Amino acid sequence: MQGLGLQSLKKNPALIPLYVCVGVGALGAIYYTIRLATRNPEVTWNRSTNPEPWQEYKDKQYKFYSPIRDYSNMKSPAPKYEE
């Protein structure tokens, strides 16, 4: 397929920024998906060691970017289900 090989990039150097932008976008999407799978309190990978993982994040900031609020000073409004 024309335009996908290294030989074709040498003939059309204007395609290099396109490949760079698509590559950076793909890496950003992969990074954010992995971050959501590992850092989000709604995702549980091991329920045997920590049956209630959302309690771990009650005083932590887990949003990616929040310029307005500092979540370290706020208390969680979630109820405590401990008996």
Side-chain angles (χ1 to χ4, degrees), residues 30-62:
I30 290 169
Y31 165 74
Y32 190 67
T33 302
I34 291 171
R35 184 186 180 281
L36 282 177
T38 58
R39 301 285 182 186
N40 201 341
E42 297 168 353
V43 177
T44 303
W45 290 95
N46 190 359
R47 289 186 62 97
S48 61
T49 59
N50 192 4
E52 295 180 347
W54 52 87
Q55 294 296 335
E56 186 178 324
Y57 285 90
K58 65 182 176 183
D59 296 331
K60 294 181 182 177
Q61 177 180 352
Y62 63 91

Side-chain angles (χ1 to χ4, degrees), residues 58-70:
K58 65 182 176 183
D59 296 331
K60 294 181 182 177
Q61 177 180 352
Y62 63 91
K63 286 193 169 189
F64 188 69
Y65 178 68
S66 180
I68 299 171
R69 293 183 182 95
D70 183 19

Side-chain angles (χ1 to χ4, degrees), residues 8-26:
S8 179
L9 280 177
K10 288 181 181 178
K11 290 180 185 176
N12 298 318
L15 292 177
I16 294 173
L18 176 68
Y19 283 131
V20 170
C21 290
V22 169
V24 168

